[in-house]
Structure formats: structure tokens, C-alpha cells
Amino acid sequence: MRRPTLDDVAALAGVSAKTVSNVLLERPHVATATRDRVLEAVETVGYRVNRAGRGLASGRSGRIAIVVPNLHQPYFAETAERLILELAARGFTSTLRIAPDAASERDAVLTRTTADADGVIICPHYFVADFVDTALPDRPIVQLGGAPAGVVDTVVMGEREGFEAVTRHLLDTGRRRLALVWNPFSSGEPEGSRYEGFVSAHRARGLEPDPDLMVSGSDWDRRASGYEAIAGLIRTGRTFDGVVAINDAVAVGALRALRSHGLRVPDDVALTGFDDTDQAAFTVPPLTSVSPESEDMARNAVDMLLERLNGLDAPGRTRRTGAHLVPRASSAARS
Amino acid sequence: MRRPTLDDVAALAGVSAKTVSNVLLERPHVATATRDRVLEAVETVGYRVNRAGRGLASGRSGRIAIVVPNLHQPYFAETAERLILELAARGFTSTLRIAPDAASERDAVLTRTTADADGVIICPHYFVADFVDTALPDRPIVQLGGAPAGVVDTVVMGEREGFEAVTRHLLDTGRRRLALVWNPFSSGEPEGSRYEGFVSAHRARGLEPDPDLMVSGSDWDRRASGYEAIAGLIRTGRTFDGVVAINDAVAVGALRALRSHGLRVPDDVALTGFDDTDQAAFTVPPLTSVSPESEDMARNAVDMLLERLNGLDAPGRTRRTGAHLVPRASSAARS
DNA sequence: GGACCCGATGTTAACGATCACATCACGACG
DNA sequence: CGTCGTGATGTGATCGTTAACATCGGGTCC
């Protein structure tokens, strides 16, 4: 009951192991009759390739590392899910690395851990691109939703458009004093473009956002942060009739803060999120959000990675994906 | 700039490759001085083991496959996270397989896909243990939260106690007519023990649950199912003052149904979930739930798997973990 | 009709580690 | 004082696959 090897298949098909290998790798120059015979033999003996042997001989593992800060935030879980499915469709295995802090993110990317993996797709939390520039990694890296950096490919989602759309939506349904709730780690570019969308939508309507209404909580946890930010606004006596949250998690926290301070959503305050995570549809009231078209993001990320694996040598590229408003009850117009 | 191999390390340390290997595998009978010298050499040349080579020679990949139906349901995402971290702590890599339907679950378990993996930990959705018995897998399998089956090890969470606790909690805070909301796939054992807990808590108070209040929705999606179940109860004119949901996802759907039908939680109806997923703390109102002590579950699952990998040969074992009530506002006593 | 080319397949040698076994030195013990 | 046991290390083979190159046969081209 030994697990069958290439040689077993070869013997049965009456060819050499190399030919079997050629068939399985879909190499050119294999006669159709031979291929059929080999494939049949594969079936008969129940052969399955030994990844270790292949990996050793080819220098490739066929495995991509996906790095996320955690899986308990729906955005990361859903993104990881999409990536895994997309990679599987292209014949790659994925290994999931959880990198909750900057050090482990660095670790995961720079081969220290996850030594075997032909490439890395990372949803960065801290990733400031610094360490990628200082210590050049030895395999392709694609960043999903971070600030474009020198050497790595980046997929940026339609943050500017998305925030513009959601802000416009609120302004056009009669809201005038909009709060913007960041998450505490917003320092880099991407949050910048979110901010831009927020501002430009105001200006397009001849309005100017109130700087006093742009806040963030301090907590690591995004939802707690959203709660804290809104609680802070209320405590300091600011008034507002709409809240644009930087993502759904922050919005969920904000929602709870609004309710526990007696503000009704959407009657007193309209609320919007971003990412259109699964949870958005099931909050009470359902949360208006922006869908980042995550299938597109995943596909683009994998595309870029595979191009690199196929030998592409170029400076870091950037691809942009779209985003569209998903209106729900949390931002319904006041009756 | 070739990646350093065992031989490079050996040359620098003045020993043979085998000795280096012995050091890295922490084999006995290595002199301390030698070990130190080798480890220093490893550091100097920046050696990292080649998993493919090791895998080929040892017949082990050091990788465990985690199989979940999806990652967008918080319970699965959080469970996967725990498992990954637990495995990482024991020196194992994880590969995540998403198996949304029965066929792919079967596939993932029976080596067809995921050929390289020393073992499998599966959070079953459909898993009826049937196929494991018919086609004996060639590597250890641990089931997390399913019905105990013949050949595979199983971790069952404290479902009976948990449901008993949460039901008792509702009864003791004055609720009398409790609905039980299943999810549509509840046919097997584990749901049975949930049911038992629900019933036994009633009996312990000299009460009998009303069969008309035990319902499930039909939708695949658990939340939609919860929504549907409650909407159905209300539509058919049943009255109840408490809802025990089979898990948090179902509870979230139920919560939305209650609110959209004008029932207040907890004033009109108390509501409880199960799993204590991250989302429970941030619903409005926060959701009373039962924590399955998931660290324990993950640890037990990994423990059992490693025992098998270390050669244990025994019939399928079952380990039980605890569960405790996490009371929140959704089940607060009426004022 | 001979040189050439190219498609199809086989041969040999890695790839980088571990395993089973051999070897060696040294102290203990009868 | 020789034998043996044991701890420490080295030797050679081996894992299953693919890469590089060789080979072989038959058709094409001039």
C-alpha cells in the first residue's frame, strides 16, 4: 500500500518517468496517444504528485502565503477567503499567516517565517513599506489595500471614489453636518484618499467639512475605536446629523455609541461604513456601506503575483479597483 | 547569493551535514560545544531549512490542513484563527482549505486535494462521518464540533451545558415562553445535545418547552435563516418572551427580525446566541451568548492530532470542552 | 539522396534534507 | 588488560520529482 510514484505510473504506461512528468506538467511535444495512456495509468494506480519531491526538483512550492493581521475582523476574513479561492482556481495552495503586529508582519514577508512560499500577498496593517525597501525580499510581494510602495505591487481600492460617493449620498439626502471617523492607525496615503473623497464631495456641493467633526478613537480594536470616537464627540457637545466611518467595523462601534447615547439611526443621525462586509447587511438598522469590489481586488492581486512568478521584472506597479455605494437603512432620508 | 544549505553550515562549523541536521532536529547525543558551534554557523550564514528537502527525506510536511466551510461566518474565521495560532505555536504551518459543500469537504479530507499535509482539522458543515468510514483516510483527522464518529477524533464543545445555562438564565430572569431557533442543517447529534440542554433546563424548573416554539429557517445562510424563523413565528401569531438561538449568526438574524416587527429587545423579548463570536459584543443591544472556550477547543484538537502523528493508534476519541454564559444586555431582566 | 531539423522520448544527475547504519573514542568493569 | 557499552559523529543511500541534455526516427528541403 505504498503511495504510488511516477515510476509506478511510468511502468504501467510503458514510458519513462520523465514522460509522465511531461504529461502532468502539460509540456509541449507529447504525442496525444502517449498522453492518454499516461493519464489512464495515473487514474488506475491512483497517483498523486508528491509536492515535496516536486518542490525540491523545481524550486517552487506552488504555495502562496497570505498575510493578514487577524481573522476576527470580517474584512480580513472575507479578503482572505477571496484570495484563497482565487489562488485555488489558479492551482495554488495558500498558507495563511496571522501577523498581528508590525514585527511579525515584517517577519512573514521577509522569508524568516513562511520560508516555503513562492510569493506573498499581504493585507498590511502597519506596513509602511520601510522594511521592504531596506531588506529586499527574495520573492514577489503584493500588497492589498495599502500605500503604494517602491518595490512591491499594490492593489488600491477605489477609496477616493467610494468616500466621495458615500459623502455625496449623505449630503444629497439632506444631511449637513457630517462627522468623519478614522481608525487610529490612519496616517498613510490610503486614508489620505479617503479623506480627499470626503472633502471633495463637500466642495462639489459648495460646502466645507468641519475639522472639529473629524475624529478617531485610540483603541487598537477598530470597533471600540469607533465607539470611543463618537462618544467623545457627543461628550464634547458637538452636533452632527451624519457619520462617515472609515470602515464597517468602526461604523459598528459608532452605531452602538449613537444608540447608547439615545441618538436614533437614521432619524437623528445617518451612518455609513466602508468595505461592505457581511455584517453590514445585518446590523440594526442595516448599514449603508461601500463595496470595494473585492473579487476584483483578489483577482488583480493574484494576477500581479503570477506575472512576477512568470519572470516579470519591473518596479512596483499599482492597480486600482472600483467601489460602489450600497445604500441601506442606516442612511435613509428623514421622513 | 545562493540560498545556504546544510552543507554550507556544516563546512563553516567543521562538522558533517548530518550533525547539523541533528542539532536542528534537537536530537539527543549532540555535545553542547558542537551544538553551539553549529547554531552560530547557522546564524552566520543565515541558514533556513528547505521544507521541500526535509519533506522529501522525512515523509512529513510539517503542515496541517484546516478545513472550514467558509471564512465569512465569524465562528469559522475565529476558529480558524485560533487553530492557526495554536499550530504555529507547536511549529506547524497551516494551509487553509475552504470547503463550502459536502463534495469538497470530502475531497479536502480524503487527500485528493491538499495532498501534502500531515493531518487535517475540520470544522464540518455536512460531515456525516459516512465517507470517512467508507474510504479510510491515510492521515489523522480531527473533527472540531461535529458528531463523534467512528475513526476520527472529535472535540465537542459544551453544548449541553451551554444551552442549559443560557436557558436557565432566561427562565430565572422571568421569561416563560422561550422559542428555540435551530439552523436548517441541524439533524445530527450535536444539535441534539443543544436541544437536550434547552429541555433539561426547563424540566429542572418544572416546566415543559412548547414544541410550537421550536423552529428553523430554511435558508443556507444562517443569519437569513434566523430572520426567517422569527418572522415565521410572528406571522403565525405565536407569542414568546425569549429566544434561544442555536448560534450567534442565527441570533443576529433573529434580532433583526424582532426589531423589524416592532418587538423590543430585551424589553419585549430576550435573545441569546451561542459561540460568543466577536460580533456578539457589538450588536445593538449587545448579545448574550455562550462562550465555547475556543482556546480549549483549539488546544484539544491540536493535542489529539499530534498524538496521532506521534503514532497513537486507537479508535476515534472524543474530548469535551466547557462552555460558560456571557450575559449581555439582550437578555437583561425587564424593569 | 543526403544533410538537416524537429518532434517525441529517454538518460543522467541533481535538488536538500533525513535515515539506517557504521565508526570512533573513551571510560568502566570483571 | 581486554572487552564491552555508550555517547558523539560521519558515511552512503534514499526520498520523488524535474532540469539539462542526449538520442532516435522520420519527414523536408534543396
Side-chain angles (χ1 to χ4, degrees), chain A residues 109-183:
Chain A
V109 171
L110 297 182
T111 322
R112 290 211 69 74
T113 343
T114 333
D116 59 331
D118 298 338
V120 178
I121 298 179
I122 178 171
C123 298
H125 215 153
Y126 298 87
F127 210 53
V128 251
D130 299 343
F131 62 84
V132 183
D133 287 323
T134 57
L136 210 66
D138 54 358
R139 57 187 169 185
I141 295 176
V142 172
Q143 230 191 146
L144 199 50
V151 279
V152 303
D153 290 332
T154 306
V155 178
V156 290
M157 44 174 155
E159 299 185 306
R160 194 182 196 289
E161 310 88 288
F163 273 78
E164 206 168 293
V166 80
T167 307
R168 195 167 48 225
H169 165 66
L170 291 180
L171 293 175
D172 289 355
T173 50
R175 313 287 173 167
R176 276 300 168 271
R177 293 191 43 77
L178 303 184
L180 178 64
V181 183
W182 308 82
N183 80 55

Side-chain angles (χ1 to χ4, degrees), chain B residues 130-280:
Chain B
D130 299 341
F131 63 84
V132 183
D133 287 322
T134 58
L136 211 67
D138 53 359
R139 56 188 170 185
I141 295 177
V142 173
Q143 228 189 148
L144 199 49
V151 279
V152 303
D153 290 333
T154 305
V155 179
V156 288
M157 43 175 156
E159 300 186 306
R160 194 181 196 292
E161 310 88 289
F163 273 78
E164 205 168 294
V166 79
T167 306
R168 194 167 49 227
H169 165 67
L170 290 180
L171 293 174
D172 288 355
T173 49
R175 313 287 173 167
R176 275 301 168 269
R177 293 190 45 76
L178 303 185
L180 177 64
V181 183
W182 308 82
N183 80 55
F185 292 99
S186 44
S187 48
E189 263 290 315
E191 314 275 319
S193 41
R194 297 185 183 202
Y195 171 79
E196 280 172 27
F198 182 73
V199 172
S200 71
H202 275 83
R203 301 219 170 118
R205 294 290 180 276
L207 302 168
E208 199 64 32
D210 179 350
D212 284 348
L213 291 178
M214 304 199 208
V215 290
S216 95
S218 64
D219 198 289
W220 209 104
D221 181 289
R222 295 185 169 188
R223 287 183 310 207
S225 179
Y227 185 93
E228 196 185 314
I230 290 299
L233 276 184
I234 295 174
R235 197 170 43 240
T236 54
R238 318 262 185 228
T239 60
F240 49 93
D241 56 5
V243 173
V244 174
I246 207 79
N247 61 37
D248 287 352
V250 166
V252 166
L255 175 59
R256 192 172 154 200
L258 292 168
R259 311 251 339 168
S260 65
H261 287 81
L263 291 170
R264 291 166 308 161
V265 176
D267 300 301
D268 298 322
V269 177
L271 174 67
T272 64
F274 196 97
D275 288 342
D276 194 32
T277 49
D278 208 43
Q279 62 186 336

